[in-house]
Amino acid sequence: GTNAFWPLNVYPYPQDGGEHSIDASMFMSGIDVLDPDMIVLMCGRAPAELGLKGLGLLRPTIIRGRYFIVTPLVDDLILQPRRYVQLVTFLKGLLAGR
């Protein structure tokens, strides 16, 4: 399949717990032009500014006609190969079962 990535603009980077803003309208307009069969992965969390209520970790949810899935932060799993493989296996199974 085809992969598409839109980074969210966050200022300053929210790891320090500071204020941040997200260009939600630009991000969601990009999502709206995706093929409806694509799955949108939100890595780590779905920022409230996007208005994607009801998303839970690894729980596929249809919003605006698209599947959305919040995954664990991949960076956190890189040093945990077993958990990373579990995530990839889960996502492959999900895609195969659609």
Side-chain angles (χ1 to χ4, degrees):
T2 302
N3 297 307
F5 300 92
W6 280 279
L8 297 176
N9 295 323
V10 180
Y11 306 101
Y13 196 70
Q15 281 184 331
D16 62 3
E19 292 294 317
H20 62 279
S21 63
I22 293 175
D23 193 343
S25 61
M26 180 181 286
F27 181 83
M28 292 309 293
S29 67
I31 295 297
D32 286 341
V33 300
L34 289 177
D35 185 313
D37 291 332
M38 295 188 79
I39 292 177
V40 181
L41 300 179
M42 305 295 295
C43 185
R45 64 187 180 93
E49 293 88 338
L50 296 181
L52 301 171
K53 295 180 181 173
L55 288 180
L57 189 65
L58 298 178
R59 189 178 70 227
T61 306
I62 298 176
I63 300 174
R64 293 168 70 158
R66 309 278 185 305
Y67 273 95
F68 285 80
I69 302 173
V70 176
T71 69
L73 283 171
V74 175
D75 289 352
D76 293 346
L77 299 180
I78 295 299
L79 297 177
Q80 302 176 50
R82 190 170 290 150
R83 287 196 66 216
Y84 184 77
V85 168
Q86 289 173 340
L87 174 61
V88 171
T89 302
F90 168 80
L91 294 173
K92 284 182 177 179
L94 179 71
L95 291 170
R98 281 194 51 189

